[in-house]
Amino acid sequence: MIRYRLGAGAASVRWAMSPIHEVVSLAQLLTEPQRHAMFHPWLRRRHLHLSQPDLRALTVFMADGVYRPDFLDPSPMTSEPTFEEGMDALLAAPADQTYAELVDATRGRGADMGRRLLDAPERARSEAADALRRLWKTIVEPEWVSMRQALRAELLDRAIQVNREGLRAVLPRLHPSAACEDDTVTVEKPVDIDVDCPEGLILIPSLFITDRVQCTTSDHWAPAIYYPASGRYLWAAPPTPRSLDRLLGVTRARILAALTTPLQTTAVAGLVSVTPPTASEHLAILRDAGLVDRSRAGRTAMHQLTEAGHTLLAAASPRP
């Protein structure tokens, strides 16, 4: 069991997101896609891109049962860091940490791999970082605006729940292995570790882990627990009320249901299996009807339901 000793109770817990963690976890997912059927539609949509980046310098650490170096996944310093801030922390990891973690990562994996990684640890770290950046640029960054919105919604939901019910009630909802008793957060793991948290514990939702929690206990990073986020329909479209199909047409009804979470145009197109220009046409019709609103984050258009859109969707949904 891992025990995080908070000292000041829930006041020592903060919530954050981590773009670099999402990329590392996606790399792990790509080595074992059979375990995560919920991502298959999204992976198929991204198939043309998945074959492009060379990830071997990163996935060498993702084999089953292999220790994954902590330097790949630095704890976020703020509630919403950028990917590049995470990369800066990765590349600034102390040399002794990098070497020690590579020793653990190569244990039992043969002399050739040990020599290749341990003879030039900084090169191994730099090559892994380059692979992370390629995966970010080709796969994650194009959809990050929608992912960030989903993570923001998760953070807000959990903060409200803790404020209303307390950390002890909320933690088991993050994952059955997590609990809180007095000033200690525990996670059921096949290790026995005590972690003091003088500056607090970070709770981080992750879109690419589904069946476990990941714990940071390294002296080099702030203590953190990564847990499965809901995803908010990023990977598969939610069911659509049949009455909306007849009212709006199948595609526009599916778009309306998908916009329970604000999404960018490409994400909408992928969820309902149309091209981005076709999605834009349907979104324009829904916007003209007052059911969908559009905003911009830089050059990216984000779409979300208006109050009328929420009302229509709720009215069309079957009563429990």
Side-chain angles (χ1 to χ4, degrees):
M1 179 180 288
I2 299 176
R3 291 171 292 274
Y4 293 96
R5 304 198 183 281
L6 304 179
S12 294
V13 172
R14 67 179 178 90
W15 303 78
M17 66 179 72
S18 174
I20 195 169
H21 171 81
E22 300 301 338
V23 184
V24 172
S25 295
L26 174 58
Q28 182 78 58
L29 168 66
L30 295 178
T31 68
E32 48 181 15
Q34 69 283 355
R35 287 184 58 197
H36 307 286
M38 67 178 292
F39 295 103
H40 290 177
W42 185 79
L43 291 174
R44 285 194 293 270
R45 295 203 300 272
R46 307 298 300 179
H47 178 71
L48 293 177
H49 299 289
L50 292 176
S51 62
Q52 294 175 8
D54 180 0
L55 305 178
R56 287 172 294 180
L58 179 61
T59 56
V60 67
F61 302 115
M62 307 293 179
D64 189 34
V66 170
Y67 165 71
R68 193 172 79 192
D70 285 341
F71 66 74
L72 291 174
D73 200 355
S75 300
M77 298 298 293
T78 62
S79 63
E80 196 172 314
T82 65
F83 172 76
E84 289 302 331
E85 287 171 337
M87 289 293 291
D88 289 345
L90 185 162
L91 293 170
D96 59 340
Q97 175 193 0
T98 300
Y99 184 82
E101 292 177 1
L102 287 175
V103 168
D104 289 340
T106 56
R107 187 169 288 119
R109 303 189 67 193
D112 288 345
M113 180 171 292
R115 281 193 298 270
R116 179 161 60 88
L117 295 177
L118 297 176
D119 286 353
E122 291 190 3
R123 182 183 67 193
R125 180 182 62 185
S126 177
E127 289 175 350
D130 289 343
L132 271 175
R133 183 171 274 110
R134 286 193 293 273
L135 189 56
W136 165 259
K137 287 291 185 183
T138 58
I139 307 297
V140 178
E141 188 179 36
E143 296 194 23
W144 177 244
V145 174
S146 293
M147 292 180 182
R148 185 177 60 205
Q149 287 289 92
L151 290 169
R152 282 174 174 168
E154 171 76 16
L155 295 178
L156 178 60
D157 285 351
R158 297 303 184 183
I160 291 172
Q161 290 172 23
V162 170
N163 185 56
R164 289 176 176 170
E165 305 171 59
L167 186 64
R168 182 175 180 178
V170 173
L171 268 177
R173 297 179 201 158
L174 308 186
H175 194 270
S177 66
C180 180
E181 189 67 37
D182 297 326
D183 64 348
T184 301
V185 170
T186 61
V187 180
E188 291 287 347
K189 290 282 187 181
V191 294
D192 192 48
I193 301 175
D194 289 290
V195 183
D196 289 325
C197 308
E199 297 183 7
L201 173 66
I202 313 172
L203 298 176
I204 306 165
S206 173
L207 295 168
F208 288 114
I209 60 175
T210 59
D211 55 358
R212 66 192 188 280
V213 294
Q214 177 184 327
C215 297
T216 297
T217 59
S218 168
D219 292 337
H220 299 283
W221 304 132
I225 298 174
Y226 298 83
Y227 68 90
S230 64
R232 297 294 180 122
Y233 303 130
L234 287 176
W235 317 124
T240 307
R242 293 183 63 185
S243 58
L244 279 187
D245 290 351
R246 296 193 295 271
L247 178 66
L248 301 175
V250 174
T251 300
R252 285 194 284 276
R254 294 182 67 197
I255 289 175
L256 199 74
L259 289 178
T260 301
T261 292
L263 295 170
Q264 61 201 89
T265 306
T266 53
V268 170
L271 280 175
V272 301
S273 302
V274 298
T275 64
T278 299
S280 293
E281 291 178 12
H282 286 297
L283 285 163
I285 293 170
L286 292 170
R287 215 165 41 247
D288 289 344
L291 301 175
V292 169
D293 197 6
R294 179 177 63 185
S295 60
R296 289 201 169 270
R299 292 182 295 176
T300 302
M302 292 294 296
H303 309 278
Q304 60 186 20
L305 297 180
T306 61
E307 184 176 347
H310 280 289
T311 300
L312 177 60
L313 189 60
S317 299
R319 296 294 187 270

